[in-house]
């Protein structure tokens, strides 16, 4: 065995990975600033990174046009038994998949450096953190992982057990062959999870959630399985602290599908005087029950991998401040002055632009200059509204859980569930119009239970059961449904969203304090009075409940639930029947 590190299990695994992938050399990442700068220089030299003149230590880059988002059809859960993966995941037999992957990965790093990234999801040293080691042949991945997770010697020194994460762009290099700026495989992408042995193998993509394996692969798909077994929750949720004008503070967690505004809600600048929002995370929450019976949440991440387009000094000023320095921009447009740009950043595009594909762009082309899923990677510590407890290993106590999605019809602005079980039903029946965050048909309505459809590492019916089994706990958070995206018959949004979402958070805050007027409806409680003076909105268009449309919605949920057969918890059918009864079906 080679003494790559002081860690025996890691050394044995690295020996196997070297023998399999045949890299030209191996580099153990220490996570230092010098190492980061050397890798950035290497990426500049390779033509991947372009330094930005307007933002210190920041870079623009663009991917291969066929490697711009998560690939759900190429994401696999390889449990021993297909039933364990359930009807919403792509399943493959683990033995067959392993056999196939061994062929794909054989020699795949020839001519490249194998980078070894020890990383920690959650604060280093916290009993709740989970460590992983990602092996990758992509320096771009190393740089992004350093921002998104805690990496390097400080992790290696404490490493005990770890989740092995193998990643390759899948493009070996011959001795004299010139490398591409963004090597990847168009034909062969595989994002593979072995939930029983807790391993991740990713091949052929260098982008986001496909390649930064601590994020969706570990902190959601593998962690959801760990959470099921350990009695906790690994969720696709932002975490915020909300303080009212009297100085009282509450924490909330909110699940929305990718591309539905989690980063904007996490960084909200309230329009209501005296209210304050502080952020702990914008994408992932790990939640556990504390000894006082309350739910405590931590954000296992260290950075933000946010969507650029639509972000501006008016929609999300805090995000604009966050990305002033130390940021990697991927698939944005690039200005003549050496800065980045995307649709929605300013009303008019700058006069001369290079598109995300690296070619001259003009508005006559009638195509966006930035890719709709263009991203910024930035340290969370740069957020001007970071919550002081963001690294507290114990986490923060959650008073409200919010489920949101992108729905142009049917779902009102906000309603409160009658109880935990109905709240779980709301989560389970979430659907949303698709966004550019995953490959697929943008705008198409699809079921996305708990915003976890692409991220649950086991049978979704068992995941529902896992949520339901907490219903007997005493100090449960209240559960809410929100929808910022309702439209009128002319196709215009009926709610301004962004900083005005504080009106909704205020009502939720008050409800969790036993205040806040509410009126009972078939769906749950909706606000009795909400002071929306000064806003150009019609209360009816925000809160109306169309009985006819809801009956159809209920029918639709019933046929979706049928997918899970016998495994679907009976409580959810009871909830659906009760909803239909309240609707008068
Ligand atoms: O999975 S990514 O990290 O690329 C982004 C997302 O879908 O939330
Ligand atoms: Mn996400």
């Amino acid at each position: 065995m080679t003494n790559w590190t002081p860690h025996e299990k890691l050394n044995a695994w690295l020996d196997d990975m070297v023998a399999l992938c045949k890299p030209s050399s191996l580099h153990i990442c220490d996570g230092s600033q010098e190492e980061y700068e050397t890798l950035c220089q290497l990426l500049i030299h390779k033509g991947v990174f372009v330094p930005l003149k307007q933002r210190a230590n920041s870079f623009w880059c663009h991917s291969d046009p066929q490697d711009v988002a998560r690939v759900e059809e190429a994401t696999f859960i390889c449990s021993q038994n297909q039933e364990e993966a359930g009807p919403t995941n792509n399943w493959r037999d683990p033995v067959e998949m392993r056999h196939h992957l061994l062929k794909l990965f054989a020699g795949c790093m020839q001519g490249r450096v194998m980078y070894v990234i020890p990383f920690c999801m959650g604060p280093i040293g916290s009993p709740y953190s989970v460590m992983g080691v990602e092996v990758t042949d992509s320096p771009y991945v190393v740089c992004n992982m350093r921002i998104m997770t805690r990496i390097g010697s400080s992790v290696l020194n404490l490493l005990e057990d770890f989740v092995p994460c193998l990643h390759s762009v899948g493009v070996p290099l011959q001795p004299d062959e010139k490398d591409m700026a963004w090597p990847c495989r168009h034909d062969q992408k595989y994002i593979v999870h072995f939930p029983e042995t807790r391993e991740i193998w990713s091949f052929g993509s260098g982008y986001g959630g496909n390649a930064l394996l601590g994020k969706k692969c570990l902190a959601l798909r593998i962690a959801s399985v760990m959470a099921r077994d350990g009695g906790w929750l690994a969720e696709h949720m932002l975490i915020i602290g909300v303080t009212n004008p009297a100085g009282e503070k509450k924490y909330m967690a909110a699940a929305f599908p990718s591309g539905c505004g989690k980063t904007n809600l996490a960084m909200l600048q309230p329009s209501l005087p005296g209210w304050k929002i502080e952020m702990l995370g914008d994408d992932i929450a790990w939640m556990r029950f504390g000894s006082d019976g309350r739910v405590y949440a931590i954000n296992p991440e260290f950075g933000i991998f946010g969507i650029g387009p639509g972000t501006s000094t008016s929609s999300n000023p805090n995000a604009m401040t966050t990305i002033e320095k130390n940021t990697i921009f991927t698939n944005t447009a690039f200005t003549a002055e050496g800065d980045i740009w995307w649709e929605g950043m300013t009303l008019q595009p700058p006069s001369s632009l290079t598109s995300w594909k690296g070619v001259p762009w003009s508005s006559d082309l009638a195509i966006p200059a930035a890719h709709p899923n263009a991203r910024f990677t930035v340290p969370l510590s740069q957020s001007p509204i970071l919550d002081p407890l963001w690294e507290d290993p114990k986490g923060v106590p959650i008073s409200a859980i919010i489920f949101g999605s992108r729905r142009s019809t049917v779902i009102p602005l906000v309603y409160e569930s009658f109880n935990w079980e109905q709240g779980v039903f709301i989560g389970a029946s979430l659907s949303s119009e698709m966004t550019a965050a995953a490959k697929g048909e943008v705008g198409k309505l699809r079921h996305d239970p708990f915003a976890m459809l692409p991220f649950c590492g086991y049978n979704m019916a068992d995941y529902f059961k896992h949520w339901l089994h907490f219903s007997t706990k005493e100090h449960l958070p209240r559960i809410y449904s929100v929808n910022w995206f309702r439209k009128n018959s002319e196709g215009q949004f009926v709610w301004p969203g962004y900083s005005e979402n504080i009106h909704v958070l205020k009502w939720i805050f008050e409800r969790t304090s036993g205040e806040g007027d509410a009126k009972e409806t078939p769906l749950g409680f909706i606000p009795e009075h909400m002071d929306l003076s000064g806003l150009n909105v019609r209360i009816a268009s925000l809160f109306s409940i169309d009985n006819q449309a809801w009956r159809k919605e209920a029918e639709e949920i019933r046929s979706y639930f049928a997918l899970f057969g016998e495994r679907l918890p009976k409580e959810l059918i009871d909830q659906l029947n009760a909803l239909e009864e309240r609707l008068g079906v």
Side-chain angles (χ1 to χ4, degrees), residues 216 236 258 262 283:
K216 306 299 186 177
H236 192 204
S258 303
K262 280 193 299 301
D283 198 39

Side-chain angles (χ1 to χ4, degrees), residues 70 215-216 220 236-237 256-259 262 282-284 301 305 375 437 451 455:
R70 280 184 294 100
K215 192 173 178 60
K216 306 299 186 177
L220 287 175
H236 192 204
M237 291 181 182
F256 292 77
S258 303
K262 280 193 299 301
D282 78 324
D283 198 39
I284 301 178
E301 298 197 280
F305 186 62
R375 296 272 173 167
F455 307 122

Side-chain angles (χ1 to χ4, degrees), residues 2-8 10-11 14 28 116 156:
T2 323
N3 271 335
W4 305 108
T5 71
H7 195 286
E8 266 193 32
L10 177 56
N11 291 342
L14 291 178
I28 312 273
V116 180
L156 191 56

Side-chain angles (χ1 to χ4, degrees), residues 70 75-92 94 191-200 215-229 232-236 284 286 448-464 466-467 564 567:
R70 280 184 294 100
T75 301
F76 299 94
I77 301 295
C78 299
S79 41
Q80 302 275 344
N81 170 330
Q82 182 162 8
E83 275 287 292
E84 286 301 312
T88 58
N89 279 313
N90 295 316
W91 176 83
R92 290 285 186 282
I191 322 298
V192 182
H193 309 72
F194 296 97
E196 283 113 358
T197 50
R198 297 187 178 162
E199 291 165 77
I200 299 161
K215 192 173 178 60
K216 306 299 186 177
C217 299
L218 196 161
L220 287 175
R221 297 193 192 97
I222 296 293
S224 63
V225 176
M226 293 176 166
R228 173 198 64 190
D229 298 346
W232 51 284
L233 295 161
E235 300 300 326
H236 192 204
I284 301 178
W286 287 355
D448 190 348
F450 290 77
M452 283 288 278
L453 177 71
F455 307 122
C456 183
Y458 62 103
N459 191 312
M460 189 66 87
D462 297 350
Y463 167 91
F464 298 156
H466 184 57
W467 265 83
F564 300 100
R567 224 153 156 145

Side-chain angles (χ1 to χ4, degrees), residues 300-364:
E301 298 197 280
F302 200 50
I304 304 171
F305 186 62
I307 297 181
T311 311
S312 70
T313 45
S314 60
S315 72
N316 191 341
N318 289 320
M320 295 307 283
T321 307
T322 309
I323 60 175
E324 276 169 4
K325 55 186 186 214
N326 306 319
T327 308
I328 300 171
F329 295 92
T330 307
N331 290 340
T332 67
F334 184 64
T335 72
E337 289 74 39
D339 198 9
I340 48 87
W341 187 83
W342 50 63
E343 276 67 23
M345 186 188 279
T346 50
L347 278 178
Q348 292 301 323
S351 55
S352 171
L353 269 186
T354 301
S355 81
W356 71 276
K357 289 188 177 171
V359 295
W361 180 89
S362 95
S363 51
D364 306 339

Side-chain angles (χ1 to χ4, degrees), residues 54-222:
Q54 323 272 334
R55 291 164 208 263
N57 192 28
S58 299
F59 304 95
W60 172 64
C61 66
H62 61 94
S63 72
D64 181 294
Q66 293 191 47
D67 197 22
V68 294
R70 280 184 294 100
V71 281
E72 293 178 6
E73 72 283 5
T75 301
F76 299 94
I77 301 295
C78 299
S79 41
Q80 302 275 344
N81 170 330
Q82 182 162 8
E83 275 287 292
E84 286 301 312
T88 58
N89 279 313
N90 295 316
W91 176 83
R92 290 285 186 282
D93 177 79
V95 175
E96 281 168 29
M97 179 56 98
R98 210 175 281 276
H99 189 72
H100 183 63
L101 290 176
L102 285 172
K103 280 194 284 182
L104 273 180
F105 277 90
C108 69
M109 293 191 189
Q110 269 168 31
R112 296 187 186 277
V113 180
M114 176 187 268
Y115 297 95
V116 180
I117 318 168
F119 67 93
C120 185
M121 301 312 293
I124 296 174
S126 157
Y128 303 134
S129 296
V130 176
M131 294 195 181
V133 178
E134 177 163 352
V135 152
T136 178
D137 50 11
S138 162
Y140 168 87
V141 165
V142 181
C143 291
N144 278 270
M145 281 292 283
R146 183 172 184 269
I147 298 174
M148 293 306 298
T149 71
R150 296 148 175 104
I151 74 161
S153 308
S154 50
V155 179
L156 191 56
N157 292 340
L158 290 179
L159 194 70
E160 287 177 14
D161 209 9
F162 66 92
V163 176
C165 307
L166 173 60
H167 170 255
S168 174
V169 293
V171 185
L173 279 179
Q174 298 312 314
D176 297 319
E177 199 178 334
K178 191 174 167 340
D179 198 3
M180 292 173 264
W182 188 281
C184 67
R185 292 289 288 266
H186 294 169
D187 53 333
Q188 306 258 32
K189 289 192 175 75
Y190 284 87
I191 322 298
V192 182
H193 309 72
F194 296 97
E196 283 113 358
T197 50
R198 297 187 178 162
E199 291 165 77
I200 299 161
W201 296 56
S202 164
F203 186 86
S205 167
Y207 193 81
N210 301 331
L212 313 176
L213 302 185
K215 192 173 178 60
K216 306 299 186 177
C217 299
L218 196 161
L220 287 175
R221 297 193 192 97
I222 296 293

